Amino acid sequence: MQEFFKDKSAQVYYDAALNTLFLVYTGKVQNDQQFITINTAVLAAFTKLNTQKFVADIRKMGIISVASQNWVVANLLPGMVKHLNGKMLYHAQVVDPSEILSKVSGNNIKGRSSQVAEGFEVVQFSDTEKLTEYLGSVG
């Protein structure tokens, strides 16, 4: 595991075995600035790696403002797609069906992700075994 970022709300690391960049929210995001700082670190890490796979574990993220959701759709995802230079981006979210606020934010991003690139879709998992199977089958 190669760690790129860590604060009280999130950790960004690369798992070589899965060839995947992970963003794991370990606590609620305090504000837009913290969210953007975390996700700027994600983009910086992604552009240093030779992977097409990104997973955001949003189970403990809390509610994210519309401005932050817009930032993901306008900056993070297009930046990842641009870095891949025509290759497909595989993006998964880990959600907890009982965590309504995180799920609403995640669903909003998932719903708008089709605007980012043709054929691009955010997939969601609540079962980490199924997520691992998915990551092994793509990219």
Side-chain angles (χ1 to χ4, degrees), residues 66-80:
V66 170
S68 285
Q69 293 170 37
N70 288 342
W71 190 91
V72 168
V73 174
N75 298 285
L76 177 64
L77 298 177
M80 290 176 149

Side-chain angles (χ1 to χ4, degrees), residues 20 25 33 35 73 78 86 109 115 124 129 131 135:
T20 302
Y25 286 98
Q33 188 52 53
F35 180 85
V73 174
I109 291 169
Q115 302 167 13
Q124 293 181 326
E129 275 184 39
L131 169 66
L135 292 172

Side-chain angles (χ1 to χ4, degrees), residues 101-136:
L101 298 179
S102 297
K103 194 162 188 242
V104 166
S105 297
N107 281 339
N108 286 345
I109 291 169
K110 177 179 171 23
R112 295 182 51 213
S113 68
S114 61
Q115 302 167 13
V116 173
E118 194 170 325
F120 174 67
E121 178 189 5
V122 176
V123 292
Q124 293 181 326
F125 296 90
S126 55
D127 179 331
T128 53
E129 275 184 39
K130 287 194 170 103
L131 169 66
T132 303
E133 285 173 24
Y134 168 77
L135 292 172

Side-chain angles (χ1 to χ4, degrees), residues 5-133:
F5 177 88
K6 188 172 188 173
D7 72 5
K8 64 184 178 187
S9 298
Q11 179 184 22
V12 177
Y13 66 90
Y14 174 70
D15 182 323
L18 293 171
N19 188 26
T20 302
L21 183 66
F22 283 85
L23 163 58
V24 178
Y25 286 98
T26 54
K28 293 200 183 328
V29 175
Q30 303 305 308
N31 54 42
D32 286 344
Q33 188 52 53
Q34 183 190 27
F35 180 85
I36 290 170
T37 298
I38 292 165
N39 283 279
T40 298
V42 166
L43 184 56
F46 190 80
T47 58
K48 291 179 182 134
L49 298 167
N50 187 23
T51 183
Q52 295 171 246
K53 298 183 265 187
F54 170 58
V55 172
D57 182 337
I58 62 172
R59 292 176 289 187
K60 295 181 179 174
M61 177 179 71
I63 190 81
I64 296 301
S65 73
V66 170
S68 285
Q69 293 170 37
N70 288 342
W71 190 91
V72 168
V73 174
N75 298 285
L76 177 64
L77 298 177
M80 290 176 149
V81 168
K82 183 179 178 203
H83 167 70
L84 291 174
N85 205 18
K87 290 188 272 183
M88 180 61 77
L89 171 63
Y90 300 99
H91 177 20
Q93 295 174 338
V94 181
V95 295
D96 177 349
S98 68
E99 250 317 310
I100 301 303
L101 298 179
S102 297
K103 194 162 188 242
V104 166
S105 297
N107 281 339
N108 286 345
I109 291 169
K110 177 179 171 23
R112 295 182 51 213
S113 68
S114 61
Q115 302 167 13
V116 173
E118 194 170 325
F120 174 67
E121 178 189 5
V122 176
V123 292
Q124 293 181 326
F125 296 90
S126 55
D127 179 331
T128 53
E129 275 184 39
K130 287 194 170 103
L131 169 66
T132 303
E133 285 173 24

